[in-house]
């Protein structure tokens, strides 16, 4: 795996936040990778292994995830706060232009960032998320977020991940489930394996409306002229097929790719996703950019 540096920045409300910084070629906008609700920067390890060197990868941990500190106020676990946090990082790093890769929650943050300053976004990947979230998927996520699990071994954790996600990744084997467990969980000080996020992220998420922003179609339309890739899992219960098609139709330079036999969310290592990402980055590389 390419070497990366563990780095930190501070939010406006003094929460210490973490990101992985993988080196890349100068003269290209960095790729800002933003994970899903209960996920963390480790979800982008395989993507970084493939792209780092050619592209600088900045894989962040939102507050309360991974090596980022927990929020002092759990009601700040909302997309608008994450936008403020990311803005603080971009300012600290003097990044004027970037490519946004957002999975689920990370895609919502990407849309809100674009609405705030579309001229800074050189390209965007929205991974299995859009301005409208399917009710079934939202209910499923609310059913598990914030529920703590503790396991004695990694294999126990892997079995639990398989039980909860077999319909999402029907073709996964033991090695895949173990790898996913090691992205989702961490070893605590007592030697037990626990979920790697603050359970309090569930508090605002359970309030209707806090899972996105005020009007996500308005935010999405800020991407109209930006090179865009919309990735949808063929089995997704979060991004509906009709919504994905509507999204692609509203943008001038968008590609919609469906990853077969995967639910919410694709890992961006599937062949269809890999090829589409390369096409997106080829489009971005042809545009002048600063980082």
């Amino acid at each position: 795996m390419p070497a990366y540096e563990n780095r930190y920045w501070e939010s406006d409300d003094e929460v210490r936040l973490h990101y992985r910084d993988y080196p890349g070629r100068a003269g290209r906008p960095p790729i800002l990778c933003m994970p899903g609700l209960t996920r963390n920067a480790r979800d982008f390890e395989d993507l970084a292994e493939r792209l780092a060197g050619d592209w600088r990868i900045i894989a962040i941990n939102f507050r309360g995830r991974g090596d980022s500190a927990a929020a002092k106020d759990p009601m700040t676990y909302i997309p608008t706060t994450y936008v403020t946090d990311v803005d603080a990082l971009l300012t600290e790093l003097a990044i004027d232009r970037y490519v946004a890769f957002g999975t689920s929650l990370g895609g919502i943050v990407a849309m809100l960032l674009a609405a705030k300053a579309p001229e800074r976004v050189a390209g965007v990947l929205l991974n299995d998320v859009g301005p409208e979230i399917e009710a079934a998927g939202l209910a499923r996520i609310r059913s598990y977020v914030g529920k703590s699990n503790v396991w004695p071994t990694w294999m126990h954790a892997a079995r639990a991940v398989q039980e909860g996600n077999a319909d999402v990744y029907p073709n996964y084997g033991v090695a895949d489930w173990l790898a996913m467990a090691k992205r989702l969980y961490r070893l605590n000080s007592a030697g037990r394996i626990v979920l790697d996020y603050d359970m309090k992220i569930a508090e605002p998420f359970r309030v209707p409306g806090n899972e996105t922003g005020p009007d996500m179609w308005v935010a999405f339309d800020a991407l109209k002229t930006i090179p865009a890739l919309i990735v949808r899992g063929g089995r997704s219960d979060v991004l509906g097929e009709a919504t994905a098609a509507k999204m692609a139709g509203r943008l001038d330079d968008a590609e919609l790719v469906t990853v077969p036999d995967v639910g919410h969310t694709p890992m961006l290592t599937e062949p269809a996703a890999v090829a589409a990402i390369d096409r997106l980055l080829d489009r971005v590389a042809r545009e002048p950019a600063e980082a």
Side-chain angles (χ1 to χ4, degrees):
M1 180 178 298
Y4 62 85
E5 293 187 24
N6 286 304
R7 294 186 172 179
Y8 297 85
W9 84 103
E10 193 170 271
S11 71
D12 291 350
D13 57 345
E14 300 181 334
V15 178
R16 190 172 189 248
L17 303 172
H18 169 264
Y19 66 100
R20 291 182 174 187
D21 196 348
Y22 297 82
R25 288 168 55 180
R28 287 182 166 179
I31 300 173
L32 181 66
C33 295
M34 296 176 284
L37 179 68
T38 63
R39 312 300 286 258
N40 57 68
R42 294 192 295 276
D43 267 358
F44 298 101
E45 285 178 343
D46 291 339
L47 181 139
E49 182 172 359
R50 193 173 72 83
L51 296 178
D54 282 334
W55 296 84
R56 182 184 181 186
I57 308 291
I58 298 171
I60 72 169
N61 282 309
F62 290 127
R63 55 177 58 205
R65 285 83 160 177
D67 291 330
S68 286
K72 300 169 185 177
D73 176 4
M75 295 310 290
T76 64
Y77 287 131
I78 56 176
T80 51
T81 303
Y82 305 137
V83 169
T84 301
D85 290 347
V86 173
D87 260 341
L89 174 61
L90 295 171
T91 298
E92 181 173 311
L93 297 181
I95 293 173
D96 296 324
R97 197 160 165 80
Y98 60 92
V99 181
F101 279 21
T103 292
S104 196
L105 168 64
I108 291 169
V109 175
M111 287 184 271
L112 293 173
L113 284 166
K116 188 174 182 181
E119 71 281 357
R120 300 178 72 180
V121 183
V124 65
L125 185 160
L126 301 178
N127 184 17
D128 211 61
V129 69
E132 296 177 16
I133 298 175
E134 297 294 305
L138 197 56
R140 179 179 58 81
I141 294 168
R142 285 198 173 113
S143 74
Y144 69 75
V145 65
K147 293 185 177 179
S148 179
N149 290 307
V150 181
W151 306 108
T153 71
W154 283 111
M155 192 54 67
H156 283 86
R159 290 196 189 104
V161 173
Q162 179 181 9
E163 288 173 6
N165 294 275
D167 290 341
V168 179
Y169 306 103
N171 297 322
Y172 269 23
V174 173
D176 301 303
W177 295 121
L178 187 58
M180 179 169 283
K182 291 185 176 181
R183 290 192 294 268
L184 285 167
Y185 288 80
R186 63 178 172 84
L187 195 65
N188 70 8
S189 58
R192 306 288 281 181
I193 296 164
V194 297
L195 285 164
D196 199 8
Y197 68 87
D198 180 6
M199 296 299 113
K200 292 181 180 180
I201 69 170
E203 293 186 20
F205 186 76
R206 292 193 175 112
V207 178
N210 277 343
E211 63 275 358
T212 59
D215 188 338
M216 291 307 300
W217 280 112
V218 172
F220 177 80
D221 285 342
L223 302 171
K224 182 168 178 58
T225 62
I226 295 169
L229 170 61
I230 301 159
V231 176
R232 178 181 180 270
R235 302 167 65 94
S236 178
D237 61 355
V238 168
L239 178 59
E241 188 174 1
T243 300
K246 181 179 177 181
M247 290 164 66
R250 286 169 81 115
L251 303 183
D252 294 343
D253 188 11
E255 179 181 6
L256 170 60
V257 170
T258 298
V259 178
D261 296 324
V262 171
H264 182 76
T265 60
M267 291 306 301
L268 304 181
T269 56
E270 302 87 356
V274 168
I277 288 169
D278 287 347
R279 290 192 294 271
L280 171 66
L281 294 178
D282 283 345
R283 283 144 62 201
V284 172
R286 291 196 294 268
E287 299 293 329
E290 296 178 359

